[in-house]
Amino acid sequence: MLTFNLLVAAALAYVAFLFTIAFIAERRASLGKVAWLRGPLIYTLSLSIYCTAWTFYGAVGFAARSGLEYLTIYLGPTLVMLGWWWFLRKLVRIGRSQRITSIADLISSRFGKSTALGVIVTALCVVGVTPYIALQLQSLTLSFAVFADAGGSEWVAGDLNAVALYAAGGLAVFTILFGTRNLDANERHHGIVLAIAVEAVVKLAALMAVGIFVVWGIAGGVEQTLARIEASDIAHWEQSGGRWVGLTFVAAAAFLCLPRMFHVLVVENDNERHLATASWAFPTYVMLMSLFVVPIAVVGLDLLPEGSNPDLFVLTVPLNQGREGLATLSFLGGFSSATSMVIVATIALATMVSNHIVVPIWLRSRGQGAMMSGDVRAVVLTARRLSIIGVLTLGYVYYRLSGGGAALAAIGLISFVGVAQILPVMMGAIFWRGATRVGAAAGLTTGFAIWAWALFLPSFGEGAILSARVLAEGPWGIGWLRPSALFGFDALDPLLQAALWSMLLNTAVFVVGSLLSFPSPLERLQGAQFVNVFEHSAGAQTWAPNSAQAEDLLIVAQRIIGPTEAQAAFQRAARAQGKAGYLPDVTPEFVQTVERMLAGSVGAATAHAMVSQTLEGAAVSVEDLIAVADEAAQILEYSNKLEAKSAEQERTARALRDANQKLTALSIQKDAFLSQISHELRTPMTSIRSFSEILREGGTDVAAQQRYAGIIQDESIRLTRLLDDLLDLTVLENGQVVLNQQEGSLADLLDRAVDTSGLRSGGIKVIRRPADEAIALSTDLDRLGQVFINLVSNAQKYCDAENPELRIVVRQTPQGPVVDFIDNGSGVPEASQEVIFEKFSRLEDHARAGGAGLGLAICREVMLRLGGEIFYLPGQGGAAFRVVLPKSQAMAAQ
Amino acid sequence: MAKRVLLIEDEPNIIEAISFILSRDGWTVHTHSDGETAADRVRSLPPDVIILDVMLPGRSGFDILRDIRSDPATQDLPVMMLTARGQTKDRELAEQLGANHFMTKPFSNAEVLTHIRALLAGAATPCDPAEPNLEP
């Protein structure tokens, strides 16, 4: 007999193997090598988490109890994959375009990013799926117990509970490790997906192996097997047409609505085209899984003593025949089915709980400033980890409370009917623009309540929650409220009846509620984007730009998705609008983009709340949203061609408008430039003339004479410097400058700049990281040094912090190495961030600053000539300038 | 009692030069270099004559002049404007807003003195031919 310890060792080795696979996949993904991880095959295999321990073990039990009816559980998803792939494609497209993170997020997002709906769906899923997780823990412990029994050791309840506890703990560790490594903007988990794909192969192989053994090893061939089936009860089972249709429908609905299925189908989907493969490959997988169910059931019933649990035939038949190796494989198959389901279900539920319950509460309790100050990423990750632990704890507690009594399939079906309540609202969400938040909430609540009353609460058994009297006579003796015969109707079995009533009333309330209520503008907008997701694309839009809050949005985005990604996204958006720099106009369209970006990390409702809080409702007014909604509707009514054309026209118009503005601005600039030069030259001239007259007139004492002569000298120097700068700028602007290519290191150049500005001796504190500065340069070092000196002395002049600091940070970016100069003062107001690079554009208080306001204009021209770039970097706290080093010449010195 | 002049100007060296020549001429010189609070300073003093620069931090000399002219307590005060930009449209705007005199930098010290004295004398005789309260 196989020792029990060996089995434990095999299980542990298998777990270690899964960890390694997940770890390698994550490593490769982080290196960008994801192509093979994301093929249609892996996608199809990941869908196999539909086949849980319930189907692995329970299908045989189901067949032994109710004949071929077990097929309905596979038939539902098969019909969906074969006949409804267009529906799935729409779901996936919406998921992608709206950055949906879970099914709760989908519903919440569609109905105006409603927090309440997010909470309802989350609650429904947690209540519906927790028993399902408990079921997996139960099957794990039962399968261990089978081996313990076979090994001769008698297990007591304490041992079973310990196994369940270890399993839950181990799954929590795995899920936290690979499910919350980072806040992936797309909520994709390469490691986990690969691990469950491997588990999918293991469980299929295990079931097939047991099946082949049963057919050819025990029964003696196909013909003999068929004969045995013919002779058994299963063949003569009376099949009820109503039950078949009902169960198939419930399975199909659950396939679409189960949080874990939604997660692998939509959230983890990498490419819509994978659906095409999955639409035939997944039914094939499911067919293979179900192929040997009946033979195993029949042989098990023949072979094993009366009263053996048919749910465990997959294990007990090989054990009975002394095939420990096969039994171990079968055990690992069941183990795979249970663990993969729990892992993905936990991730999906934890994402919902943290995005729709924990983070919103945290945000509300912290108020307006929360996402500007604290580290939101850390909070979201912690919330997600705590939610994972919470979900698994719930599953474990449910397992302990339910005592592992009911047959596996019964809990599974109850769960299925529970999550199926989401189906009407989900269909409405993506096919019916008239569906509203009120209708959705009412429908969901109705369905949920009926399900809980008629199926869920009674499932605990008589007297556990509902007393025997309530079950038999209805609450307060009201007969038509009896859970098993709602509305006095008991022709069908309780499960189907509950499913029928809950789905019917759910749908009816949803439809009537939607017809009677009026959607908010945001709902109308989201409705149009969901229902017409294929037709919808960026169209012509004419918004008054509201640039005031772009920087705030950037700050929030940086906190959530990280600075590099946020800056890149903002820059892209600005470029798409035809603007330079990092701050696009805050159009309603851009606000949506930002929301979607954040939604990938924190869910649509929270992202919406964050963005609205940031904008304080100013950027997206109700009028704007109505405009969006109306415009979206209009766009959809016109043909695509027309839309593209008007977008094109709009772009051209914008380009023309910009060009015109530039021309006007140029002529104004010329006037302003002359007037500025006049001012800058005349001011020192005034002092010189006035004091020289005073000196000529005589009558002043020697000290005053000395002082006035000094002023005259200083002002002459100022004049000369101004003329030098002007000449320098003119030469640079005309491109007549001769560059002097030199070799040197960035560190030396920065040393020199800091020394020249006299900062070593005090004033502003300079913080550097010499380790990053080991970059070899081959460019005009004097010119680049001129830029650095300018930036350092600007910080010295303008930084108004009490303890002024200047951080010089060297970073590697996609554009190559950059040097950021960031001080801790009050920074440059957004309105001035573009202007400061113009000639004579000093900010206030020029007396303090000295200089004529040509420094940054010269810097910009120098960087242009050197083939680099300089710009203002918003959102860093103080004033921040980024110098992108000349590209071809900068190479990292290794 | 010495006559009081308020010099609204932000260039330290020019402040020092004008202060020197006016105090030598027997004036009490008050200086103010912030545009934002200049009109308040005028009200709280008020001086006998004002010298007002155009380019000031916070608020331009033209806006300050508009404030002075729209407050009944200060609307009759003589104002001499100084500018380093020297464009005719600045001069026109100054006249329109009711400046009593307009000078371009650089100036000769004697010229400043002559005009300041004239402004003080002019202010003593209320029949000023220019209508100072013309709002644009």
mmCIF file of all heavy atoms in Angstrom, chain A residues 446-460:
data_model
loop_
_atom_site.group_PDB
_atom_site.id
_atom_site.type_symbol
_atom_site.label_atom_id
_atom_site.label_comp_id
_atom_site.label_asym_id
_atom_site.label_seq_id
_atom_site.Cartn_x
_atom_site.Cartn_y
_atom_site.Cartn_z
ATOM 1 N N THR A 446 -33.770 41.537 -6.180
ATOM 2 C CA THR A 446 -34.890 40.597 -6.195
ATOM 3 C C THR A 446 -34.402 39.162 -6.405
ATOM 4 O O THR A 446 -34.730 38.255 -5.636
ATOM 5 C CB THR A 446 -35.868 40.959 -7.326
ATOM 6 O OG1 THR A 446 -36.192 42.340 -7.214
ATOM 7 C CG2 THR A 446 -37.120 40.121 -7.262
ATOM 8 N N GLY A 447 -33.597 38.975 -7.461
ATOM 9 C CA GLY A 447 -33.106 37.644 -7.777
ATOM 10 C C GLY A 447 -32.307 37.072 -6.613
ATOM 11 O O GLY A 447 -32.476 35.909 -6.227
ATOM 12 N N PHE A 448 -31.463 37.912 -6.046
ATOM 13 C CA PHE A 448 -30.602 37.510 -4.946
ATOM 14 C C PHE A 448 -31.454 37.060 -3.747
ATOM 15 O O PHE A 448 -31.197 36.014 -3.142
ATOM 16 C CB PHE A 448 -29.730 38.710 -4.578
ATOM 17 C CG PHE A 448 -28.670 38.428 -3.555
ATOM 18 C CD1 PHE A 448 -27.897 37.278 -3.620
ATOM 19 C CD2 PHE A 448 -28.416 39.340 -2.541
ATOM 20 C CE1 PHE A 448 -26.904 37.033 -2.687
ATOM 21 C CE2 PHE A 448 -27.427 39.105 -1.601
ATOM 22 C CZ PHE A 448 -26.674 37.944 -1.681
ATOM 23 N N ALA A 449 -32.483 37.860 -3.453
ATOM 24 C CA ALA A 449 -33.327 37.553 -2.293
ATOM 25 C C ALA A 449 -34.056 36.226 -2.488
ATOM 26 O O ALA A 449 -34.085 35.380 -1.577
ATOM 27 C CB ALA A 449 -34.324 38.688 -2.071
ATOM 28 N N ILE A 450 -34.625 36.025 -3.667
ATOM 29 C CA ILE A 450 -35.362 34.776 -3.908
ATOM 30 C C ILE A 450 -34.420 33.581 -3.827
ATOM 31 O O ILE A 450 -34.723 32.563 -3.212
ATOM 32 C CB ILE A 450 -36.055 34.814 -5.283
ATOM 33 C CG1 ILE A 450 -37.092 35.932 -5.285
ATOM 34 C CG2 ILE A 450 -36.697 33.467 -5.611
ATOM 35 C CD1 ILE A 450 -37.775 36.113 -6.608
ATOM 36 N N TRP A 451 -33.251 33.732 -4.430
ATOM 37 C CA TRP A 451 -32.273 32.643 -4.408
ATOM 38 C C TRP A 451 -31.889 32.308 -2.958
ATOM 39 O O TRP A 451 -31.854 31.148 -2.559
ATOM 40 C CB TRP A 451 -31.047 33.034 -5.219
ATOM 41 C CG TRP A 451 -29.879 32.129 -5.027
ATOM 42 C CD1 TRP A 451 -29.719 30.895 -5.577
ATOM 43 C CD2 TRP A 451 -28.717 32.367 -4.220
ATOM 44 N NE1 TRP A 451 -28.532 30.350 -5.172
ATOM 45 C CE2 TRP A 451 -27.899 31.227 -4.337
ATOM 46 C CE3 TRP A 451 -28.297 33.432 -3.414
ATOM 47 C CZ2 TRP A 451 -26.678 31.126 -3.665
ATOM 48 C CZ3 TRP A 451 -27.090 33.329 -2.763
ATOM 49 C CH2 TRP A 451 -26.288 32.184 -2.882
ATOM 50 N N ALA A 452 -31.617 33.376 -2.186
ATOM 51 C CA ALA A 452 -31.173 33.154 -0.801
ATOM 52 C C ALA A 452 -32.287 32.439 -0.021
ATOM 53 O O ALA A 452 -32.037 31.483 0.718
ATOM 54 C CB ALA A 452 -30.815 34.477 -0.138
ATOM 55 N N TRP A 453 -33.517 32.905 -0.222
ATOM 56 C CA TRP A 453 -34.642 32.363 0.551
ATOM 57 C C TRP A 453 -34.976 30.928 0.137
ATOM 58 O O TRP A 453 -35.158 30.051 0.973
ATOM 59 C CB TRP A 453 -35.865 33.268 0.381
ATOM 60 C CG TRP A 453 -37.072 32.765 1.105
ATOM 61 C CD1 TRP A 453 -38.190 32.228 0.545
ATOM 62 C CD2 TRP A 453 -37.280 32.734 2.507
ATOM 63 N NE1 TRP A 453 -39.071 31.874 1.500
ATOM 64 C CE2 TRP A 453 -38.544 32.170 2.740
ATOM 65 C CE3 TRP A 453 -36.512 33.139 3.614
ATOM 66 C CZ2 TRP A 453 -39.066 31.989 4.011
ATOM 67 C CZ3 TRP A 453 -37.029 32.968 4.880
ATOM 68 C CH2 TRP A 453 -38.300 32.386 5.073
ATOM 69 N N ALA A 454 -35.001 30.704 -1.170
ATOM 70 C CA ALA A 454 -35.509 29.422 -1.646
ATOM 71 C C ALA A 454 -34.433 28.344 -1.754
ATOM 72 O O ALA A 454 -34.729 27.163 -1.710
ATOM 73 C CB ALA A 454 -36.188 29.613 -2.998
ATOM 74 N N LEU A 455 -33.173 28.748 -1.917
ATOM 75 C CA LEU A 455 -32.138 27.735 -2.124
ATOM 76 C C LEU A 455 -31.015 27.793 -1.096
ATOM 77 O O LEU A 455 -30.637 26.794 -0.504
ATOM 78 C CB LEU A 455 -31.514 27.915 -3.511
ATOM 79 C CG LEU A 455 -32.178 27.241 -4.691
ATOM 80 C CD1 LEU A 455 -31.312 27.456 -5.928
ATOM 81 C CD2 LEU A 455 -32.337 25.748 -4.437
ATOM 82 N N PHE A 456 -30.479 29.006 -0.923
ATOM 83 C CA PHE A 456 -29.242 29.117 -0.159
ATOM 84 C C PHE A 456 -29.468 28.821 1.328
ATOM 85 O O PHE A 456 -28.797 27.967 1.902
ATOM 86 C CB PHE A 456 -28.632 30.504 -0.363
ATOM 87 C CG PHE A 456 -27.318 30.680 0.322
ATOM 88 C CD1 PHE A 456 -26.224 29.894 -0.051
ATOM 89 C CD2 PHE A 456 -27.145 31.629 1.316
ATOM 90 C CE1 PHE A 456 -24.997 30.047 0.569
ATOM 91 C CE2 PHE A 456 -25.928 31.780 1.937
ATOM 92 C CZ PHE A 456 -24.856 30.989 1.565
ATOM 93 N N LEU A 457 -30.427 29.535 1.928
ATOM 94 C CA LEU A 457 -30.641 29.344 3.364
ATOM 95 C C LEU A 457 -31.104 27.921 3.689
ATOM 96 O O LEU A 457 -30.597 27.314 4.632
ATOM 97 C CB LEU A 457 -31.614 30.401 3.901
ATOM 98 C CG LEU A 457 -31.090 31.838 3.793
ATOM 99 C CD1 LEU A 457 -32.086 32.832 4.364
ATOM 100 C CD2 LEU A 457 -29.748 31.979 4.512
ATOM 101 N N PRO A 458 -32.042 27.356 2.914
ATOM 102 C CA PRO A 458 -32.434 25.978 3.212
ATOM 103 C C PRO A 458 -31.279 24.987 3.063
ATOM 104 O O PRO A 458 -31.293 23.920 3.665
ATOM 105 C CB PRO A 458 -33.521 25.684 2.175
ATOM 106 C CG PRO A 458 -34.054 27.011 1.783
ATOM 107 C CD PRO A 458 -32.903 27.947 1.866
ATOM 108 N N SER A 459 -30.246 25.342 2.258
ATOM 109 C CA SER A 459 -29.154 24.387 2.016
ATOM 110 C C SER A 459 -28.370 24.092 3.283
ATOM 111 O O SER A 459 -27.639 23.117 3.351
ATOM 112 C CB SER A 459 -28.217 24.912 0.935
ATOM 113 O OG SER A 459 -27.366 25.889 1.475
ATOM 114 N N PHE A 460 -28.491 24.953 4.292
ATOM 115 C CA PHE A 460 -27.776 24.689 5.538
ATOM 116 C C PHE A 460 -28.440 23.551 6.321
ATOM 117 O O PHE A 460 -27.911 23.072 7.303
ATOM 118 C CB PHE A 460 -27.731 25.949 6.423
ATOM 119 C CG PHE A 460 -26.817 27.006 5.880
ATOM 120 C CD1 PHE A 460 -27.287 27.943 4.971
ATOM 121 C CD2 PHE A 460 -25.486 27.050 6.253
ATOM 122 C CE1 PHE A 460 -26.444 28.909 4.466
ATOM 123 C CE2 PHE A 460 -24.644 28.018 5.746
ATOM 124 C CZ PHE A 460 -25.118 28.951 4.847
#
